Amino acid sequence: MTTFASGTTASNKDRLTRDALTVLQPGFPGTTAPDWLLRRLGEGLASVGLFGRNITSPEQLAALTAQLRAERGDVLVAIDEEGGDVTRLEVRTGSSFPGNHALGAVDDVSLTLEVAAELGRRLAECGVNLNWAPSADVNSNAANPVIGVRSFGADPDLVARHTAAYVTGLQSAGVAACTKHFPGHGDTAVDSHHALPRIDADPAVLAERELTPFRAAIAAGSRAVMTAHILVPALDPARPATLSPRILTTLLREELGYDGLIVTDGMEMQAVAATYGIERGSVLAIAAGADAICVGGGLADDETVRRLRDALVTAVRTGELPEQRLAEAAERVRALARWTATEAKAGGGTGHTPDGAAHAGRADVGLVAARRALRLTGGDVFTPLVEPPFVAAFTPVANFAVGDETPWGVAAELLRLLPGTETAGFAGADAGHAALVAAGERRIVVVVRDEHRHPWMTTALDTVLTARPDTIVVEMGVPQAPPRGALYIATHGAARVCGRAAAEVIAGA
């Protein structure tokens, strides 16, 4: 009998390889499952991650998930469907749900639960059973380039109660929640897709601010938690959270008492990949206490899966990764797969909250929430438009998590209500002058997104308002700047329903 360096024998080599495949959550290109992916499911792969590139319609998505389940009945099909600005189900049209910041602005936990339950119902209907949501990050840094409207807000208690409601609603539909980004990505000024962010807060602040929503999520029974690729020196001065035993095992497992699945954020993101590489990063993440490796946002092929599997197997054989730690991680993945399979057999969720109260889903709950989230200044004296305006969209560089393929703004909805509405996008120092020239004599609606983070946007808006004080301003990011314009509308998000709600006000509909 062959014996490897760690004591692994040929008799359990297959189990080791299967465990290594089980902890991976890869993506893939296309709208049908490639042969290599189906083969890997047969070999032990237990999870698949879906992105906008994989989805064209609910019917196509249902067919895709059925194809995956024909190969492995309990496969975890994961998606990054936060609603609001981050949508995969409606990546080409914009979301039917307004997103976390809008829900936090309304601050009605029953509404948040209902929105999450309806979103979960739609996911379950399409065969998706793990959602990398909600974001429990407290957006305490107004300059944050990657969280913003993905957060319920800047108050830890508000974020906590809505995180718990979201987890409860989503899981009532039989879809596992994956609360993110532990231990909290809100106080960062760097996007971890591009570099390693750092949070320099002391332990007391972290406990009171960052960890409060995660405690609420754990108490609500969140089936999964996603790690953050951030450095928090007060917790671990050497390694980012995703690779830190102190943060994942000591803090999350032992101190907070969490026993569910720990999923990494995308391992191809530069915060980890640029320093450690995805293979070594994956080994360190599992060793630190993570159970599932999310990879596939930009790397989505069989070669990536093979490399990661082999890296984990080699790490066990050399003694760098304890075999029991890998086996434990794989078992947590399988346990979640069993939970989702049981929920699916029960009809895609009980339709009840844990206290036994039934919730009746409303297909239009997203629009209802978006309307309630609007905050208007000047609306008491505003006369709705009857003539088609010119919409000037001051367009910032897209947040990587959001992507630049998802449409946003109010122009499409105004065109429906006021035929003849025209629009154009502008950016940079001359955006204001260009917008004035393009608008001509038409009434101007300026749409901004996080004006406070973009000085050029403030300059452009000043230029337009100086020349045309009757301009309507719609802020579709986090409202920070003082309201101005003849009518100022804060939507608290740029989802399609947010644009519709704003357009209804502008057109008096």
Side-chain angles (χ1 to χ4, degrees), residues 121-410:
R121 185 193 67 77
R122 296 189 193 185
L123 289 172
E125 201 170 60
C126 295
V128 176
N129 54 12
L130 172 59
N131 191 9
W132 293 319
S135 167
D137 306 297
V138 179
N139 197 57
S140 57
N141 187 340
N144 197 313
V146 70
I147 301 300
V149 294
R150 301 168 66 195
S151 167
F152 290 109
D155 176 72
D157 292 330
L158 179 144
V159 176
R161 60 180 173 265
H162 287 279
T163 295
Y166 196 106
V167 167
T168 300
L170 189 64
Q171 293 187 167
S172 74
V175 176
C178 184
T179 306
K180 61 189 183 186
H181 306 79
F182 188 82
H185 211 308
D187 189 19
T188 60
V190 173
D191 185 344
S192 51
H193 290 90
H194 306 303
L196 179 63
R198 176 183 175 116
I199 295 182
D200 288 305
D202 64 43
V205 171
L206 294 169
E208 184 69 22
R209 187 179 64 189
E210 270 71 21
L211 298 184
T212 294
F214 287 98
R215 291 192 194 94
I218 293 168
S222 184
R223 294 283 169 174
V225 167
M226 178 175 281
T227 68
H229 299 333
I230 59 174
L231 188 67
V232 188
L235 301 178
D236 187 332
R239 289 185 177 178
T242 297
L243 312 182
S244 169
R246 167 69 185 92
I247 293 175
L248 299 190
T249 298
T250 305
L251 176 58
L252 182 54
R253 291 279 187 221
E254 298 172 6
E255 296 179 16
L256 298 185
Y258 177 67
D259 193 40
L261 188 76
I262 298 178
V263 184
T264 72
D265 206 344
M267 294 301 291
E268 70 277 10
M269 294 163 62
Q270 291 302 296
V272 169
T275 302
Y276 299 90
I278 63 167
E279 293 96 334
R280 176 150 180 77
S282 296
V283 170
L284 292 174
I286 297 295
D291 305 305
I293 302 296
C294 176
V295 63
L299 300 168
D301 54 32
D302 192 35
E303 176 61 17
T304 299
V305 172
R306 184 195 62 76
R307 284 163 48 205
L308 294 178
R309 178 204 64 187
D310 291 352
L312 292 167
V313 169
T314 298
V316 170
R317 291 176 179 173
T318 60
E320 182 181 10
L321 174 63
E323 186 173 355
Q324 181 55 36
R325 171 79 273 275
L326 179 61
E328 176 187 63
E331 178 50 34
R332 278 205 179 92
V333 175
R334 297 181 188 116
L336 183 58
R338 289 193 294 270
W339 180 84
T340 59
T342 299
E343 292 295 305
K345 288 180 181 177
T350 61
H352 289 74
T353 59
D355 63 5
H359 59 72
R362 292 182 291 171
D364 68 340
V365 68
L367 179 58
V368 170
R371 287 168 174 161
R372 290 182 62 185
L374 293 183
R375 297 294 179 267
L376 311 181
T377 303
D380 53 339
V381 296
F382 174 72
T383 301
L385 305 189
V386 294
E387 297 293 330
F390 179 81
V391 179
F394 290 172
T395 308
V397 175
N399 177 324
F400 193 94
V402 174
D404 57 10
E405 69 269 46
T406 303
W408 69 285
V410 302

Side-chain angles (χ1 to χ4, degrees), residues 95-99 102-103 105-106 111 115 364-375 489-493 495-502 504-505:
S95 181
S96 301
F97 302 93
L103 295 172
V106 177
L111 178 65
V115 166
D364 68 340
V365 68
L367 179 58
V368 170
R371 287 168 174 161
R372 290 182 62 185
L374 293 183
R375 297 294 179 267
I489 305 176
T491 62
H492 301 92
R496 174 170 52 85
V497 286
C498 297
R500 177 174 173 180
E504 289 173 344
V505 171

Side-chain angles (χ1 to χ4, degrees), residues 30 36 71 83 91 93 96 112 114 160 165-166 208 251 257 292 301 395 424 462:
W36 67 262
E71 188 62 43
V91 67
T93 60
S96 301
T112 295
E114 189 176 0
Y166 196 106
E208 184 69 22
L251 176 58
D301 54 32
T395 308
D462 288 343

